[in-house]
RNA sequence: GGGGACGUAGUUCAGUUGGUUAGAACGCUGCCCUGUCACGGCAGAGGUCGCGAGUUCGAGUCUCGUCGUCCCCGCCA
């Protein structure tokens, strides 16, 4: 192939098939870089040596598809190109065949600069010819293959589950597929194969996995596509530790496929600790944690600074920011207001640390020590402002942490150039901060609907010790649920499931679901639970996100060959589209207004 | 559903306070060139300034609307 020739091939006759990447016509000698997915090689056409072939070569243009037959020749020392792998050799062409011409593309695959994404997506077939996209798609293949091999090697079976299945309206919106045979009825595309994989456990396939497409009809983000690929797995008789081990093993294999030797096991942290120290359930540990700064204050300090000592107080540290300008101070105040707007429970402010250093230098000094802050580090205390006689709710206390977490990320993004924590150093332990977040709460309170919701999903098993609190204090029940997080991105989420019907019923009750409701939604599954269900659990990880991070990209679109835009449109095939009246009639569907 | 950024040549962009024929680089076409590799030189073609209204003697520039792309919030059990 075009990228494989080396000095040891000198003298051999070769056939190269590929695209014209660039043409350099010097008159009596023409150089053409021929490209395929393996790389490129320089072809030489010399008028003095072979005028007929030279004549043919002069008609070649960018992206023409050609076959070249010739001899590999070692280049003179002064004409070696160190920028390409084949740079020490070239091919003198004896025979040239034009296999196909090309219209002038809207942009060239060999072009260096950025290209408008709209154009890239419309002409995705050209875009995918670019070196970076070829590398990303190749990486994706390598990663998926390594994961398959690792899981298969551990006795997991890859088993397919249906794409056309039953809508279970809970969680994300379903993509629906109308049934022609049953007018007015719909299949749903799976948000995940959750119930099928649990049923496979009931069926005795004790180790299942699948690299599988999932569908969610929700608004998109840079790291969210409506169809995405999960590494989905489930096993019978596991402890959480066993799941961690399996995931760490295949992630190690996946990273190895990308040339990275990942240390395992990963750090573990409870949900509560994650909230306290990072204000979020998917901490980016490349940056310092938040620090509890309560010990820095005496009661007198608090009164003097008008700070509410009963509220949680933490400080954010962003390394190497240096002195900040008045404008930046104003931006901090604006961020403080923005946080209050975003979270109505947030009763705190981002305190002006410079002012604190003036007013109460000994307090500020203690805070610096607590945070381990150097003189160039930006310190932002987050405190509640004293308001007499007001008692603070638990939600308000938590908001101190979560709003702090948001501020931490926002400031980290803003000062990325200064602290450089997001840049790759080549030091694996620093570049890839994995962790397991464990012991998620079982339920979340829904203010709008005035009821408890399953934080993970309703098939997640509660902690053994918390069973008795299901009715009395649902908010404090911990789940056997865990997330695997990398650099602040949630890669995957899983749990040990409920395998006993009686407990499953208790959970539905706690969620305010009647037996009839539960039965109408999940009847087939509740039936299955009653026929000898083994204890089981599993996890699902986003393949796209793993590849995105490995490729060093900021958007999933860079690692998905044919992605959708923010409005869920495929620019190349132009989908979705209206369909004709006959099709609708067949399906018994009428479009409203 | 909400907030923000952007939209000018095939591509990436510039375009001053509203004022003559809207520019540059790359790409493209032609000619010249025997060692280039982001080849070089000369010449040339290429524009509904996203679209529609409005203000104005005059709009790429100001206003309103609309469409599209991107980012964020909501949403994503």
């Amino acid at each position: 192939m075009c990228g494989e020739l080396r000095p040891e091939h000198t003298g051999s006759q070769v056939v190269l098939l590929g695209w014209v990447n660039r043409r350099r016509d010097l008159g009596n000698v023409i150089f053409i870089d021929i490209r395929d997915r393996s790389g490129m090689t320089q072809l030489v056409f010399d008028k003095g040596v072979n005028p007929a072939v030279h004549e043919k070569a002069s008609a070649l243009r960018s992206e023409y598809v050609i076959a070249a037959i010739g001899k590999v020749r070692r280049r003179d020392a002064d004409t070696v190109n160190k920028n390409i792998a084949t740079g020490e050799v070239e091919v003198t062409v004896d025979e040239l065949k034009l296999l196909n011409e090309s219209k002038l593309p809207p942009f060239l695959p060999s072009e260096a600069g950025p290209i408008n994404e709209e154009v890239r997506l419309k002409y995705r077939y050209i875009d995918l010819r670019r070196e970076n996209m070829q590398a990303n798609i190749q990486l994706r293949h390598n990663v998926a293959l390594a994961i398959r091999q690792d899981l298969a090697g551990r006795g997991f079976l890859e088993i397919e589950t249906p794409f056309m299945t039953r809508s279970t309206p809970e969680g994300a919106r379903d993509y629906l597929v109308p049934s022609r045979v049953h007018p007015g009825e719909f299949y749903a595309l799976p948000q995940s194969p959750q119930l099928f994989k649990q049923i496979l456990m009931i069926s005795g396939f004790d180790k299942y996995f699948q690299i599988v497409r999932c569908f969610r009809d929700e608004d998109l983000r840079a790291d969210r596509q409506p169809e995405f690929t999960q590494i989905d797995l489930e096993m019978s008789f596991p402890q959480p530790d066993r799941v961690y081990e399996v995931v760490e093993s295949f992630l190690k294999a996946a990273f190895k496929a990308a040339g990275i030797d990942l240390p395992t096991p990963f750090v573990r942290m409870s949900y509560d600790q994650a909230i306290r120290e990072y204000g979020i359930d998917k901490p980016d540990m490349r940056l310092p944690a938040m620090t509890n700064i309560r010990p820095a204050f005496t009661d007198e300090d608090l009164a003097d600074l008008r700070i509410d000592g009963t509220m949680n107080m933490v400080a954010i540290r962003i390394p190497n920011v240096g002195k900040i300008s008045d404008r930046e101070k104003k931006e901090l105040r604006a961020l403080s207001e923005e946080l209050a707007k975003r979270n109505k429970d947030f009763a705190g402010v981002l305190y002006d640390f410079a002012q604190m250093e003036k007013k109460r230098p000994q307090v500020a000094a203690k805070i610096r020590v607590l945070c381990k802050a150097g003189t160039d580090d930006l310190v932002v205390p987050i405190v509640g402002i004293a308001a007499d006689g007001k008692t603070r709710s638990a939600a308000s206390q938590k908001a101190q942490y979560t709003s702090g977490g948001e501020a931490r990320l926002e400031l980290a993004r803003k000062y990325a150039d200064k602290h450089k924590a997001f840049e790759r150093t080549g030091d694996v332990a620093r570049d890839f901060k994995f962790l397991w977040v464990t012991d998620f709460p079982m339920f979340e309170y829904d203010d709008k609907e005035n009821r408890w919701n399953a934080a993970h999903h309703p098939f997640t098993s509660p902690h053994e010790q918390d069973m008795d609190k299901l009715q009395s204090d649902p908010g404090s029940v911990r789940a056997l649920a865990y997330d695997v997080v990398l650099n602040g991105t949630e890669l995957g989420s899983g749990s040990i499931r409920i395998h006993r019907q009686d407990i499953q019923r208790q959970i539905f009750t706690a969620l305010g679901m009647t037996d009839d409701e539960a039965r109408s939604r999940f009847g087939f599954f509740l039936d299955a639970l009653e026929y000898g269900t083994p204890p089981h659990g599993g996890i699902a990880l986003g393949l796209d996100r793993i590849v995105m991070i490995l490729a060093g990209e900021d958007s999933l679109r860079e690692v998905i060959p044919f992605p959708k835009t923010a409005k869920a449109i495929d620019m190349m095939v132009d989908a979705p589209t209206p369909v004709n009246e006959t099709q609708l009639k067949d399906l018994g569907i009428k479009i409203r207004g």
Side-chain angles (χ1 to χ4, degrees), chain A residues 6-14 70-74 89-90:
Chain A
R6 296 292 181 276
E8 64 262 30
H9 301 107
T10 302
S12 51
Q13 167 111 351
V14 293
K71 276 201 185 56
V72 181
R73 180 168 79 185
R74 203 171 175 133
V89 295
E90 61 193 4

Side-chain angles (χ1 to χ4, degrees), chain A residues 313-367:
Chain A
M313 50 181 80
V314 290
I316 298 165
R317 172 167 75 91
I318 309 285
N320 301 322
V321 172
K323 214 168 165 52
I324 63 168
S325 66
D326 285 353
R327 209 187 80 200
E328 287 170 297
K329 265 192 205 167
K330 239 180 240 168
E331 285 166 355
L332 275 178
R333 269 199 293 280
L335 176 59
S336 197
E337 281 158 28
E338 166 71 20
L339 291 173
K341 216 188 296 171
R342 242 187 261 169
N343 186 344
K344 62 181 176 4
D345 290 318
F346 179 50
V349 291
L350 309 189
Y351 206 95
D352 184 340
F353 190 65
Q355 196 161 18
M356 189 180 281
E357 277 179 317
K358 256 182 245 157
K359 271 202 205 159
R360 291 264 145 177
Q362 72 283 25
V363 173
K366 272 188 231 162
I367 289 177

